Amino acid sequence: MSGTFLDSTELVLNMGPQHPSTHGVLRVIVKLDGEKVTGTECVIGYLHRGVEKIGENRTYAMFAPYVDRMDYVAAVSNGLGYCLAVEKLLNVEAPPRAQVVRVILTELNRIASHLLWLGTHALDIGAITPLFYCMREREATLNIFEKYCGARLTTHAFRIGGLQYETYEGFEQECLAFCDMFLPKCDEYEELLTGNRIWVQRLRNVGVLNAEDCKAYGVTGPLLRAAGVKWDLRKAQPYSGYDKYDFEIPTCENGDSFDRYIIRMREMRQSVRIIRQAVADIPAGPIMAKVPKVIKPPVGEVYVSIEAPKGELGYYIVSDGSTQPYRVRVRPPSFVNLQSLDKMARGSLVADLVAVIGTIDIVLGEVDR
Amino acid sequence: MNFYVLSLIKAALVAVVLLTLCAYLVWIERKVLGHIQLRPGPYRVGPHGLLQPLSDLIKLLTKEGVIPANVNTFLYLLAPFLAVLLALTSIVVIPFGPEVEVFGVRTNLGLTDLDIGILFILAISSLGVYGIAIGGWASNNKYSLLGGLRSSAQMISYELPLALAIAAPLLIVNSLSFREMVMGQQGYWFGILPKWNIFAAPFPQIFSFLIFLIAAFAETNRIPFDLPEAESELVAGFHTEYSSMMFAAFFMAEYANIATICFVATSLFLGGWTPLWPAQYGSDFVPPILLGGAGLMLLYHASQALRTRKWDRYSFPVLGVVFLGLAALFLVPALKPVLVPLFWFAAKSGILIFTFVWIRGTLPRFRYDQLMRFAWTFLFPISVVNLLITGLLVALT
């Protein structure tokens, strides 16, 4: 800073990898001028486990549980994307019953993921109580997962070609009970936060990312929809029977943190809508398509992407005709969305930086893989 | 009785009560916050976690006090000492009750009564910022430094509305002594509505009270103004590098400040120890009824089957008897003139302290620039206008 009266130097602040609000082990090197952020640099890789490389050394079925460990708060979505990719490679399709159950569980998982985001984001902004309310409702979805497949977090709920487990007794009723319970709770969160002037002040015009920037960075998910782009893979290229359900894609105009909050709140309500429709009409029939015991897809490559809670989750799998993939490449939404951090945070305050990191909704397991 | 002996006894009593109160404020805060957040709060140490403050104290005392390399040791050690010293000093001018006669000794309930008590409080609370600022600077840590800087700016900014909010009731009562302040709030409108400063003629000081309360939140670094220690941004702010008893000193200073500021608010605006309605309508019986009711409720629940919490089989009857005993104390004619004012003072301060915790469980945190804008463009002008209106109306009447 030359030409100023006082000789002031930049303050370089090393935020993370151990920091309360970097959501895991993200390290951000922040350049500060007073409290103003003049530049950020993300250092990632503290949670790198080489998931993609592991995929080359496992059979197709053996690799399925590994994908749950990427975005561990939305493990069901990860599993769905991988199963769809391998199914496309094998040229099989899951039976209708399996598809509907997949939709129900995936939407429940979307709610769970958004709830965790809401709670931690509110905590970053300084409201400590919503976290506990969100955890209470998230618990209800995890209980359904636990009853269905025995696991709560890294569920491995789906298998290549359909489902391993039939739904349990009372599955439909429990899903409906959750929907009935959840909508009033959603209103409760909105009452705590949406109308709260401090909350609005902290998020309005913070971390603005317009539609052009979103497209330039490849940002997807709620961030893109908050900028006004009506792009949701469930509608744009329906998979797993999403075209059968009647739901809306919420969009906003400003592309700031507050809009992203609104988008995620509305998405949870839309998920409830989808679950209700799906539960009302679960067809009878088999839950597993005809898949050979040893999965050996024909030589070829495939890219399948789904709308995960955080954005477009894509799997690019190359098969060389053996039992193991030749290459597995994952397009993780968190990793791509995180690129926009510097664009959003530059020129704002330290407190805004924390809000922006929260609003991207990153999971470091997915960023680092 | 000798003035010095009496003062020493009173000082010892107040010190013991205040320090215990600070320790139990932590327990109260964790309990209330816990219940707001759907969890039971401290539960393991003693019945209902009642011994938690004790175990916290033992833990902090026995921890190693780490002094990081490259810190300015003198200032680093001075800061927590300064913080706790200044936090505990302000209590001396708070009046807890009227002049009473106990065992043949006439004395004021309260340590001392300075003519300039209110100025003293303002002076001491202004000094309080040094503990935090020095601590933040001496730690040689960027987070601490940012926390210290934020707190200096914040506490100095909020001092102005705080002082102006205090100035308005001063115009009405026309004294800087806390005791005279409370004496000026005695009596009742229409024989029922207390003449507290928030209901005062010619201009009710309800606005002053609210401004004071908001500024008090900022002065004590509480949510929504807890920027100096904003956990999600600055890790722990100014006390990031402090451990052991040095950390405990900062912690205690924070709670002592909360207690003091609630006492000040009670004395200035809520009529100190004066009851909510006149004694001839039975306000003296409120404490025995409340305490006795609580005791009876505990005894009733102790007689029911308690399957889930095995501690309660013993703690409920014991606490029930304790509460009934306290209720009986309020009916002893010799103790009644001492205890009843103390009860009203404690009840009013307690409600304010509860509000502090309640707000913490509800609101998010301001951003630094918003906090400053709020102080200078909203709170400060409002308090000036409030002061001017009060002054005008006082001059006219």
Side-chain angles (χ1 to χ4, degrees):
Chain A
M1 293 224 348
S2 59
T4 48
F5 177 66
L6 286 168
D7 179 33
S8 63
T9 47
E10 274 181 340
L11 178 70
V12 179
L13 187 68
N14 187 23
M15 236 175 148
Q18 313 290 333
H19 188 278
S21 58
T22 52
H23 294 258
V25 286
L26 174 68
R27 177 173 162 213
V28 189
I29 300 171
V30 194
K31 294 200 187 81
L32 290 178
D33 175 20
E35 287 246 348
K36 204 171 169 194
V37 177
T38 54
T40 65
E41 194 185 320
C42 284
V43 182
I44 59 169
Y46 289 91
L47 205 58
H48 179 65
R49 292 153 296 177
V51 169
E52 291 172 3
K53 191 69 191 167
I54 290 171
E56 295 169 20
N57 299 304
R58 297 285 183 276
T59 64
Y60 287 93
M62 279 163 76
F63 183 58
Y66 283 88
V67 298
D68 286 3
R69 272 108 185 132
M70 292 193 306
D71 182 359
Y72 41 79
V73 298
V76 180
S77 286
N78 289 2
L80 178 65
Y82 178 70
C83 290
L84 287 176
V86 179
E87 281 161 17
K88 192 170 174 192
L89 206 54
L90 282 170
N91 205 15
V92 295
E93 198 175 54
R97 182 174 172 81
Q99 286 194 356
V100 174
V101 173
R102 280 178 173 187
V103 166
I104 296 170
L105 291 176
T106 312
E107 289 308 314
L108 279 174
N109 201 200
R110 187 183 309 278
I111 293 174
S113 169
H114 281 353
L115 279 177
L116 191 75
W117 166 82
L118 179 64
T120 50
H121 188 46
L123 192 66
D124 288 346
I125 305 295
I128 44 181
T129 304
L131 176 69
F132 293 89
Y133 294 168
C134 293
M135 285 295 180
R136 172 183 60 188
E137 271 71 75
R138 180 168 173 265
E139 198 68 14
T141 67
L142 297 190
N143 283 340
I144 294 177
F145 295 148
E146 188 182 8
K147 271 193 165 176
Y148 173 69
C149 63
R152 293 162 66 83
L153 200 66
T154 47
T155 47
H156 193 204
F158 308 141
R159 298 292 182 272
I160 297 162
L163 308 167
Q164 177 160 20
Y165 309 111
E166 189 47 83
T167 58
Y168 61 88
E169 192 75 34
F171 174 75
E172 294 88 344
Q173 287 85 335
E174 268 185 34
C175 290
L176 285 178
F178 171 78
C179 293
D180 292 340
M181 179 275 288
F182 183 67
L183 284 183
K185 301 290 183 197
C186 239
D187 297 335
E188 202 174 90
Y189 308 143
E190 296 239 20
E191 207 170 297
L192 258 176
L193 297 172
T194 312
N196 187 325
R197 289 184 60 159
I198 302 177
W199 176 258
V200 178
Q201 272 183 20
R202 282 298 306 275
L203 296 184
R204 264 272 170 253
N205 297 321
V206 168
V208 178
L209 203 64
N210 58 32
E212 282 74 49
D213 291 334
C214 284
K215 285 173 190 162
Y217 281 107
V219 166
T220 49
L223 279 77
L224 181 65
R225 292 191 281 276
V229 182
K230 206 164 184 166
W231 179 256
D232 187 319
L233 291 173
R234 291 175 293 176
K235 283 267 193 218
Q237 25 178 294
Y239 52 88
S240 200
Y242 267 108
D243 44 350
K244 286 186 292 191
Y245 305 114
D246 175 32
F247 64 99
E248 282 156 23
I249 308 169
T251 52
C252 287
E253 295 87 46
N254 302 321
D256 57 11
S257 299
F258 187 75
D259 281 358
R260 287 169 210 144
Y261 157 74
I262 293 288
I263 292 279
R264 289 191 175 103
M265 295 308 285
R266 290 198 199 146
E267 274 187 19
M268 288 199 276
R269 292 170 196 271
Q270 294 300 325
S271 292
V272 168
R273 233 173 114 183
I274 297 172
I275 294 169
R276 281 214 169 115
Q277 294 171 42
V279 169
D281 184 27
I282 303 183
I287 52 167
M288 197 71 183
K290 277 208 179 332
V291 177
K293 278 269 184 308
V294 178
I295 296 172
K296 266 177 130 176
V299 179
E301 57 181 51
V302 67
Y303 177 78
V304 170
S305 58
I306 64 161
E307 188 71 26
K310 293 167 180 65
E312 178 183 342
L313 171 71
Y315 286 90
Y316 173 65
I317 302 178
V318 183
S319 163
D320 57 1
S322 69
T323 55
Q324 295 173 346
Y326 176 75
R327 174 85 171 97
V328 182
R329 159 75 188 155
V330 186
R331 183 216 183 270
S334 297
F335 175 68
V336 179
N337 292 354
L338 185 59
Q339 291 181 94
S340 59
L341 175 68
D342 188 62
K343 171 87 185 168
M344 289 197 267
R346 199 179 283 260
S348 60
L349 300 171
V350 182
D352 290 338
L353 175 67
V354 169
V356 167
I357 293 174
T359 198
I360 300 175
D361 190 10
I362 48 167
V363 166
L364 265 295
E366 191 181 50
V367 173
D368 294 344
R369 300 194 298 296
Chain B
M1 198 186 276
N2 189 321
F3 169 75
Y4 297 102
V5 177
L6 189 65
S7 295
L8 273 178
I9 293 173
K10 284 202 289 190
L13 260 177
V14 170
V16 168
V17 170
L18 182 70
L19 291 178
T20 320
L21 177 71
C22 286
Y24 274 91
L25 265 183
V26 182
W27 180 85
I28 290 168
E29 165 146 46
R30 289 179 61 185
K31 268 291 183 203
V32 173
L33 215 53
H35 284 282
I36 290 175
Q37 296 172 349
L38 317 162
R39 54 199 177 85
Y43 216 91
R44 296 283 167 155
V45 194
H48 296 261
L50 274 170
L51 297 178
Q52 186 72 45
L54 192 68
S55 84
D56 285 349
L57 182 74
I58 292 171
K59 185 194 82 174
L60 285 166
L61 271 173
T62 49
K63 285 257 160 148
E64 181 192 0
V66 180
I67 300 179
N70 303 323
V71 302
N72 185 327
T73 317
F74 174 69
L75 290 178
Y76 181 79
L77 294 175
L78 176 71
F81 175 72
L82 211 56
V84 77
L85 177 80
L86 293 169
L88 295 178
T89 307
S90 8
I91 198 77
V92 294
V93 292
I94 308 281
F96 302 106
E99 192 178 14
V100 292
E101 193 170 332
V102 198
F103 308 124
V105 185
R106 288 200 71 80
T107 182
N108 284 327
L109 289 179
L111 279 180
T112 179
D113 182 30
L114 291 181
D115 289 341
I116 50 156
I118 290 164
L119 282 184
F120 179 78
I121 289 268
L122 281 176
I124 292 292
S125 75
S126 310
L127 284 174
V129 70
Y130 282 104
I132 291 175
I134 291 175
W137 184 81
S139 295
N140 193 23
N141 175 314
K142 287 166 185 168
Y143 290 119
S144 302
L145 181 66
L146 282 174
L149 284 175
R150 279 180 174 188
S151 75
S152 320
Q154 171 182 335
M155 289 171 90
I156 291 166
S157 304
Y158 277 85
E159 211 113 87
L160 280 164
L162 188 84
L164 287 174
I166 292 179
L170 289 185
L171 288 176
I172 292 174
V173 178
N174 210 7
S175 167
L176 277 169
S177 148
F178 269 105
R179 189 158 293 277
E180 278 172 42
M181 191 71 161
V182 177
M183 295 311 264
Q185 300 177 57
Q186 306 271 350
Y188 298 88
W189 301 109
F190 320 115
I192 186 79
L193 189 68
K195 282 187 177 173
W196 298 348
N197 274 336
I198 55 168
F199 304 121
F203 186 59
Q205 291 304 308
I206 184 85
F207 298 109
S208 305
F209 177 63
L210 292 177
I211 294 164
F212 180 86
L213 215 54
I214 293 170
F217 276 101
E219 281 289 299
T220 49
N221 297 329
R222 296 281 300 183
I223 276 181
F225 305 104
D226 68 333
L227 288 113
E229 46 196 290
E231 191 180 295
S232 52
E233 297 151 32
L234 302 181
V235 191
F238 62 90
H239 57 57
T240 306
E241 295 286 353
Y242 282 92
S243 53
S244 176
M245 272 319 277
M246 293 180 283
F247 167 74
F250 274 125
F251 210 61
M252 200 161 74
E254 189 184 325
Y255 283 93
N257 274 329
I258 294 170
T260 312
I261 214 115
C262 289
F263 293 160
V264 172
T266 308
S267 305
L268 285 180
F269 298 101
L270 301 178
W273 61 82
T274 53
L276 195 53
W277 66 89
Q280 68 254 36
Y281 299 128
S283 67
D284 285 359
F285 292 103
V286 172
I289 288 170
L290 280 178
L291 290 167
L296 287 177
M297 212 141 114
L298 280 166
L299 287 180
Y300 168 74
H301 282 288
S303 70
Q304 304 294 305
L306 296 164
R307 281 189 300 272
T308 46
R309 301 179 285 193
K310 65 175 194 289
W311 260 105
D312 289 346
R313 202 177 310 150
Y314 312 106
S315 62
F316 274 19
V318 170
L319 286 173
V321 170
V322 168
F323 274 108
L324 283 179
L326 281 175
L329 279 183
F330 276 92
L331 297 171
V332 177
L335 291 175
K336 205 168 145 186
V338 182
L339 288 180
V340 170
L342 284 180
F343 168 84
W344 285 108
F345 190 86
K348 290 173 197 171
S349 314
I351 288 170
L352 290 179
I353 287 171
F354 176 82
T355 314
F356 270 69
V357 181
W358 183 16
I359 296 281
R360 182 172 172 205
T362 312
L363 290 181
R365 182 185 303 119
F366 273 105
R367 201 173 63 201
Y368 182 63
D369 58 328
Q370 292 164 351
L371 174 99
M372 287 310 205
R373 202 178 308 132
F374 182 72
W376 289 102
T377 65
F378 179 75
L379 215 52
F380 182 61
I382 291 267
S383 54
V384 170
V385 169
N386 176 56
L387 182 66
L388 286 177
I389 294 176
T390 312
L392 188 69
L393 289 175
V394 168
L396 288 177
T397 49

